[in-house]
Amino acid sequence: MAHSVLFDQEQAYAGGNPNDGLEFYQTQYVDPASTAAGAAVHGSADEFYASSYGTAMPIVERSWLAAFGTGGFPNEQPLLEELGINFQHIKSKTLAVLNPFKPLDTKIYDDSDMAGPLLFILVLGTVLLLSGKSQFGYIYGVALLGTIGIWAILNLMSQGGIAVVRTASILGYCLLPVVFLGTVGLVADLKAGPLGTLASVGPIAWCTYSSATMFVTVLSMSEQRLLVAYPIGLFYTSFALLTVF
């Protein structure tokens, strides 16, 4: 049956024109959408950017230095700001620790900046390593447990409370005087006689006063300054013992 059908069709086309009724006519119609798309595809990148955003395409600096600056696309933040590293805040907080008697600007403590504290802990561990003391594990352990303990105490004592990362940021920045103590240990033997004890009193008091002042200012706990300073003093005393011994 299939052969007969094919044979009939072949006979039909053999006797007549197979293109009867299938003529195609040319037209001048052009699809506007396809024309615009083709122009956008085949046009230059500058024309496409200008038609899309209404401005000329900016010149992008193609180098690794452009990632740390503002030479990229319009309104693009620098890489360090995207990572949460603000050198201006690091400088302001460090100066606040170095001069604890200056009135504090509480706005700089709104962000939980950990770049400065991690830097100070790394410098302290490196200084102690140069002094022949490998204390990195003890430094990280005391910092972690002490931060959690002080954070819990502050949340029990204050009404508003404070975040644990913010607590770690303030405690880490105020560790700077202990870093100075470790630097002194590079040129002098702090374990020789009462030198280490006398040299540790100043940095401990400095760290405690700076940190307690910051917590009291941020949490509005001026009437509980001594209660806040006591656990903080123990915290920095532990770091001083690691630095001296």
Side-chain angles (χ1 to χ4, degrees):
M1 182 66 181
H3 291 285
S4 62
V5 172
L6 292 175
F7 179 78
D8 294 339
Q9 290 179 352
E10 292 177 356
Q11 292 294 332
Y13 286 116
N17 187 6
N19 294 326
D20 290 344
L22 299 177
E23 292 82 359
F24 295 94
Y25 299 93
Q26 296 182 354
T27 178
Q28 300 297 327
Y29 174 76
V30 179
D31 188 4
S34 61
T35 304
V41 172
H42 298 288
S44 63
D46 294 337
E47 296 176 355
F48 177 73
Y49 189 93
S51 62
S52 301
Y53 298 98
T55 58
M57 185 174 182
I59 300 176
V60 180
E61 183 181 357
R62 299 181 182 274
S63 65
W64 64 272
L65 291 175
F68 298 92
T70 58
F73 294 99
N75 302 324
E76 182 182 10
Q77 294 182 351
L79 178 61
L80 295 179
E81 291 186 8
E82 293 180 357
L83 296 177
I85 301 176
N86 192 328
F87 287 107
Q88 185 62 35
H89 283 190
I90 294 175
K91 177 182 176 181
S92 301
K93 294 178 182 180
T94 303
L95 293 177
V97 174
L98 295 177
N99 188 9
F101 300 102
K102 181 181 179 180
L104 295 176
D105 184 11
T106 57
K107 293 182 180 180
I108 63 176
Y109 296 101
D110 292 339
D111 62 335
S112 301
D113 176 29
M114 291 299 298
L118 292 177
L119 176 62
F120 293 159
I121 289 178
L122 181 61
V123 172
L124 178 61
T126 304
V127 168
L128 294 181
L129 183 62
L130 295 176
S131 302
K133 308 169 187 175
S134 180
Q135 306 282 16
F136 282 101
Y138 292 104
I139 291 174
Y140 293 139
V142 172
L144 178 61
L145 297 178
T147 299
I148 295 176
I150 294 176
W151 167 73
I153 293 174
L154 292 176
N155 280 277
L156 292 174
M157 295 174 59
S158 62
Q159 296 181 354
I162 187 172
V164 62
V165 181
R166 198 175 180 186
T167 304
S169 177
I170 295 177
L171 292 175
Y173 273 104
C174 294
L175 188 65
L176 185 58
V178 177
V179 178
F180 294 156
L181 177 63
T183 306
V184 174
L186 291 176
V187 296
D189 188 7
L190 298 178
K191 294 186 292 184
L195 178 62
T197 303
L198 296 177
S200 302
V201 173
I204 293 174
W206 191 353
C207 294
T208 303
Y209 182 82
S210 299
S211 183
T213 301
M214 293 180 185
F215 282 121
V216 167
T217 303
V218 172
L219 298 176
S220 302
M221 301 169 58
S222 57
E223 298 180 356
Q224 300 173 320
R225 180 183 295 269
L226 295 178
L227 295 177
V228 173
Y230 177 70
I232 294 176
L234 296 178
F235 176 76
Y236 290 114
T237 300
S238 302
F239 281 101
L241 291 175
L242 291 175
T243 304
V244 174
F245 301 102

